[in-house]
Amino acid sequence: MHSPSPLVVIFGLAYGILIGGWFANGQLSSTFYDQTCPYASCIIREVIKQALESDPRIGASLIRLHFHDCFSEKEAIANNNSARGFDVVDTMKAKLESICPATVSCADILTIAAQQSVSLAEGPSWTNLLGRRDSTTANRTLANLNIPSPFDTLDGLKFKFTNVGLNNNTDLVALSGAHTFGRAQCRTFSNRLYDFNNTGLPDPTLNTTYLQTLRQICPQGGNGSVITNLDFTTPNAFDNNYFSNLLSNEGLLQSDQELFSTAGADTVDIVNNFSANQSAFFDSFVESMISMGNLSVLTGTDGEIRLNCRVVNGNSTTDDSLLVSSI
């Protein structure tokens, strides 16, 4: 395994999640920074607003960092050369360090950034529980096994959600609804367009009109890094159109469409409900986000408060020893 550069050190796992060892919620509080850094959320929100002026994708990218941080680390297969937004988190951290030195963890920055990103995209808002500390370890091998993949079947998705302590129905469907904004690369779904499961045919669950549209964007053998909207109807808004798309067999990723097109699945009724009732989706999404953010946190004197979210304190560079879990 090659030694990563400082810029490839785990940015995730700030939560202190040691994959394969999930622990109970620590002492998190909605008022944790009220005295030590009362404007933390406002600072993070302003950084996101500025970033959105030139990059409408950034909100979705930040919530993806928060989500993947609960499953993996930066060099996991699903993140490497895909996860983005690290420079924006750097800006947040630098501003917070200038005002509240060594106070706000990178874990909490990602948590707040996800909530603010959803709010700025016209989605629901909620009160975060804060007080996480940052991990000094990760396990890339287990991350590659645990992180949900765009190619996963419903059974695979259910296993991975259950494995980290989330439920495999409402949490799974609600959190998948974050694909109501953002973009995906052709390489994450092009197999559905031409050679699904090595059949030489497209995915039979894919709407044929939508298939032709996607083939124009992602021609066979073309550039796999080309991006397209996860939700083609309202790509930058946080709403329930993602679920309406699934009902029309217009989910972009296999892992999206599996929620609705798997015969007899308990997720089908949930998709139908969220498609018909945006408030029900928003309520469930908030509940699932809070549950996910409370998994396996480090608090008190455990872990550390990173001064630079790209490296563990005291290390200007890193090696693979920092990617080995201590469990």
Side-chain angles (χ1 to χ4, degrees), residues 76-87:
I77 292 171
N79 291 346
N80 204 16
N81 299 317
S82 174
R84 59 192 300 276
F86 303 108
D87 55 335

Side-chain angles (χ1 to χ4, degrees), residues 47-254:
V47 172
I48 297 171
K49 287 175 66 175
Q50 291 175 16
L52 282 168
E53 292 177 3
S54 59
D55 183 2
R57 301 171 58 197
I58 197 60
S61 297
L62 291 170
I63 195 172
R64 184 169 183 246
L65 284 182
H66 170 66
F67 182 86
H68 282 201
D69 191 46
C70 293
F71 283 82
S72 70
E73 52 90 22
K74 186 180 174 184
E75 275 209 312
I77 292 171
N79 291 346
N80 204 16
N81 299 317
S82 174
R84 59 192 300 276
F86 303 108
D87 55 335
V88 177
V89 179
D90 284 342
T91 300
M92 296 171 186
K93 183 62 174 172
K95 288 182 178 293
L96 289 167
E97 285 298 310
S98 69
I99 297 171
C100 318
T103 301
V104 183
S105 68
C106 299
D108 277 345
I109 289 174
L110 292 182
T111 302
I112 297 168
Q115 180 263 317
Q116 294 290 355
S117 294
V118 171
S119 175
L120 287 167
E122 304 176 16
S125 188
W126 63 92
T127 300
N128 282 309
L129 297 177
L130 303 170
R132 298 164 187 80
R133 288 170 66 85
D134 298 325
S135 172
T136 59
T137 60
N139 188 315
R140 187 184 308 158
T141 300
L142 288 177
N144 288 331
L145 295 175
N146 280 287
I147 191 168
S149 160
F151 313 109
D152 276 341
T153 63
L154 183 59
D155 285 343
L157 293 169
K158 283 177 168 288
F159 171 80
K160 289 175 179 179
F161 268 69
T162 302
N163 200 40
V164 298
L166 296 168
N167 70 56
N168 63 14
N169 38 63
T170 304
D171 285 339
L172 170 57
V173 178
L175 292 174
S176 295
H179 284 173
T180 187
F181 66 169
R183 316 288 187 268
Q185 297 181 12
C186 288
R187 65 182 179 86
T188 62
F189 60 87
S190 59
N191 67 307
R192 301 184 69 206
L193 311 183
Y194 303 101
D195 188 22
F196 185 65
N197 289 343
N198 298 315
T199 62
L201 299 171
D203 185 341
T205 68
L206 193 57
N207 178 288
T208 54
T209 301
Y210 189 42
L211 168 64
Q212 296 309 316
T213 298
L214 293 177
R215 282 181 166 179
Q216 291 178 8
I217 297 168
C218 306
Q220 193 165 19
N223 184 351
S225 297
V226 171
I227 59 172
T228 192
N229 298 323
L230 282 159
D231 173 8
F232 64 92
T233 50
T234 51
N236 297 322
F238 196 97
D239 54 30
N240 67 333
N241 282 336
Y242 165 85
F243 299 103
S244 301
N245 295 339
L246 299 186
L247 267 61
S248 301
N249 289 331
E250 295 173 324
L252 183 63
L253 306 179
Q254 177 184 348

